[in-house]
Amino acid sequence: MALIGGIESHASAAEKFNRDVDRVNWHDKALWNLRHKRDLAAESQPEWEDLKQLGSEYKLHTLANLKHYLTEFEANCKKNGIVVHWAKDGKEHNEIVHSILAKHNVKNLVKSKSMLTEECHLNPYLIERGIDVIDTDLGERIIQLNEQPPSHIVVPAIHLKKEEVGELFHRKIGSEKGASCPTYLTKQARAHLRQKFLEADAGLTGVNMAVASEGAVAIATNEGNADMGVNLPKVQIHCMGIDKIVPNMDAASVLSRTLARNATGQPITSYTTFYKGPKEGGEMHVVLVDNGRTKLFQDELLAEAYKCIRCGGCLNTCPVYRRSSGFSYNALIPGPIGIAVSAGDDETHSLAWACSLCGSCTQVCPTKVPLDKIIFKWRRIHSEQGKLPYGKNGYMPWVGKFMANETMLNLGMASARTALRILPDALMKPFGMDWTKHRELPKAPKTGSFEAWFKKNRENK
Amino acid sequence: MSSRDAIFAALDKCNLPDAPMPSITIEPNNEDLMGQYEANLTKVGGTLVRVKELSEVQAHLDKAMADGQSVVCRVEGLNGNRELDAKPHTLQDLDLALIDAEAAVAENGAVFVRETASGHRVLPYITENLAVVVKADTLVANMHEVVKNVKLESGQHGAFIAGPSKTADIEQALVIGAHGACSMTVYMLD
Ligand code: SF4
């Protein structure tokens, strides 16, 4: 999975974001708001837990039989007049897309949200070859104009304030200076993008589900940009990871019940569209991409990361994501699911530690991706390769020895308690290093060690 | 080796333990379907108008046309004031489109439409305002039920549409009317 930017550890990037406390709190609240709406939607659905179980089982079944379903999907697509392409990596994906566009002499391409094309760096590839590529989802358009990657997989511009969007639109699309009303700004974007839709020679979208039994792709949006994009021009292209296959319409019905509820708390997105062939006189292409997926499928646990339906729920609930923002991850997909699919490529060996292992992500996931287990496994993999982050390699073995030696540990803890009691905080705080940067020191318990308390109060009772 | 073969060869090496295909045993909640539908359509920003006869819908169209709106009507027996051109792009200034929907889903307010009902695939999205006529007896409880009833033919496009186009990409503020229709009316025909 692709990494972005230079190589900076999560902790160092997060530290920069954390300098602006107000922004951190604002970011945290915006995401928690989504999490809260998700809870209301889940609670109002008596069969929610059953849907999660079904979603998980459908995805596991598909992944275990992926070759079968890919074959079926391809054959059915052909019957429906859809051209199917295969790409082993991002480079080949880009070449395929470009060759289709070149054949039709496409100059203007409208795109709708696709994390896959971000993963393959399609936009710069096409722009270098003279194609005007326009992202049409409002959030994506904002970050495209701002020359940034997405900071969230569902709400890509969540890191920007409305005043910043207003300023950007003023500079780039000529909206009024100083305007920051979301309604006004959205209408400006509507007018600007409508022009782009009408001029487009081709439309490209990501895929939410590809239904094997039908030879159809399904795309879910709230804005309707995918449908405006592919229904006007002659050529439509849909790019998808091979993990997006589902066996049949029953499976699609299950996932369509949880996707939007878990993302934003809506019962369903405004548009859930199935394309089972090109429009009259048109052309429809589907590009199936591996780009590292089959590599993760080799491992039973890591493979489960691809049960993911990209609802973003695990980002919204993650205390680390909410307080460090998407850009601190040095990975295209941030948050828990981002760690799960990208930690193998992380040269800073810090990504797998951008997690408190609280397990909240695993709890909210609508397809039961065992995110905390996967993240923990990545830590083990890095550790076994001798690649622990920032000095952990040096001191962790000593910590291990210390903790394993009872006398040493008791002695150490006793002196820590005494020190906490008698020494001033200012002197003690530096020993806590990063931990005490934003925290007060604990009060030393009056009862002494836990063992002593246990002996006195619980043993033999 | 072609990339297709390379991907399949890599999948052969995976050997994930097989997991059986699940079956859906969730009982549909059929209690007060119309009440559920109206509540959910309202939640997603749409408007429900219950009608006994198609002529009531024509009265709404007539009013829109009297107000100077351009109306494409694709429902048999009703009339608008504008025909479809060969090129869908000219629909960009269309005020109102009325089309048939085949089914309605109580749990989320969605209706199912397909291109045969709209003439041009882009019609339900490009129009400023969208209205559909759907028969009350096509209303089902949930998505599992509706996919049993609506089947796409080869070469078709079909969409579940739940309310108007919307976005909350700027500071989470909900704005109705992103790229698709800015309003959606569902005429439920008893
Ligand atoms: S891992 Fe689960 S919660 Fe996270 S984005 Fe994927 S489906 Fe949603």
Side-chain angles (χ1 to χ4, degrees), chain A residues 26 34 45 47 50-51 54 57-58 60-61 63-67 69-71 74 79-80 86-88 92 136-139 142 155 158 160-163 165 182-183 185-187 190 193-194 197-198 214 222-223 225 227-228 231-232 236 242 247-250 253-254 256-257 261 267-279 290 294 297-298 300 303, chain B residues 3-4 6-27 29 40 43-44 88-93 107-110 112 115 121-122 124-128 130 142-144 147-148 150-182:
Chain A
W26 169 83
L34 283 174
Q45 197 62 198
E47 56 256 42
D50 297 334
L51 287 172
L54 279 169
E57 287 175 15
Y58 270 119
L60 269 184
H61 170 74
L63 291 178
N65 299 283
L66 198 52
K67 191 171 154 185
Y69 287 118
L70 283 167
T71 314
E74 181 187 39
K79 274 190 218 152
N80 297 333
W86 300 84
K88 57 184 179 314
E92 191 177 12
T136 58
D137 169 89
L138 176 57
I142 291 170
V155 277
I158 188 94
L160 290 174
K161 299 196 174 182
K162 55 183 191 285
E163 291 77 16
V165 177
T183 306
L185 294 172
T186 302
K187 295 295 166 189
R190 177 182 170 94
L193 285 163
R194 193 150 268 235
F197 285 125
L198 292 167
E214 303 289 311
N222 276 319
E223 299 180 7
N225 53 316
D227 302 295
M228 281 291 280
N231 286 328
L232 280 168
Q236 72 188 84
I242 51 175
N248 51 36
M249 289 303 281
D250 278 345
S253 77
V254 169
S256 70
R257 295 188 71 186
R261 285 190 172 96
I268 192 168
T269 50
S270 305
Y271 305 97
T272 306
T273 313
F274 291 81
Y275 291 91
K276 196 175 173 174
K279 60 184 96 53
D290 179 351
T294 51
F297 292 160
Q298 312 284 335
E300 237 179 85
Chain B
S3 293
R4 179 183 187 275
I7 292 171
F8 281 5
L11 285 173
D12 278 337
K13 277 196 282 168
C14 293
N15 270 325
L16 292 174
D18 197 12
M21 171 91 91
S23 53
I24 302 170
T25 52
I26 293 172
E27 285 294 321
N29 168 14
N40 285 315
K43 201 184 281 173
V44 297
H89 294 68
T90 55
L91 292 167
Q92 58 150 317
D93 59 354
E107 69 155 325
N108 54 30
F112 183 78
E115 73 196 82
R121 283 186 178 185
V122 82
Y125 314 104
I126 200 170
T127 179
E128 192 71 14
L130 174 66
N142 60 35
M143 292 301 287
H144 314 312
V147 297
K148 293 179 195 158
V150 295
K151 302 238 183 306
L152 278 181
E153 300 298 324
S154 177
Q156 274 191 336
H157 149 284
F160 291 95
I161 302 184
S165 151
K166 51 184 102 57
T167 182
D169 272 342
I170 302 177
E171 277 206 25
Q172 294 295 291
L174 180 69
V175 180
I176 301 285
H179 306 299
C182 296

Side-chain angles (χ1 to χ4, degrees), chain B residues 5 11 25-26 45 51 55 60 86 107 114 137 139 145 162 171:
Chain B
D5 293 344
L11 285 173
T25 52
I26 293 172
V51 292
S55 56
H60 287 119
E107 69 155 325
R114 66 176 96 216
D137 61 8
L139 177 58
E145 302 299 306
E171 277 206 25

Side-chain angles (χ1 to χ4, degrees), chain A residues 153 262 308-314 337 365-367 369 371:
Chain A
I153 58 178
N262 217 60
C308 173
I309 55 170
R310 299 288 188 261
C311 70
C314 57
I337 183 60
C365 178
T367 52
V369 175
L371 290 155

Side-chain angles (χ1 to χ4, degrees), chain B residues 60-73:
Chain B
H60 287 119
L61 297 187
D62 289 344
K63 188 177 171 303
M65 290 186 283
D67 288 348
Q69 294 192 17
S70 63
V71 179
V72 165
C73 175

Side-chain angles (χ1 to χ4, degrees), chain A residues 148-173:
Chain A
Q148 278 179 319
S151 76
H152 187 287
I153 58 178
V154 173
V155 277
I158 188 94
H159 58 288
L160 290 174
K161 299 196 174 182
K162 55 183 191 285
E163 291 77 16
E164 293 164 331
V165 177
E167 177 56 32
L168 177 72
F169 277 14
H170 170 65
R171 276 191 287 119
K172 301 279 172 126
I173 64 172

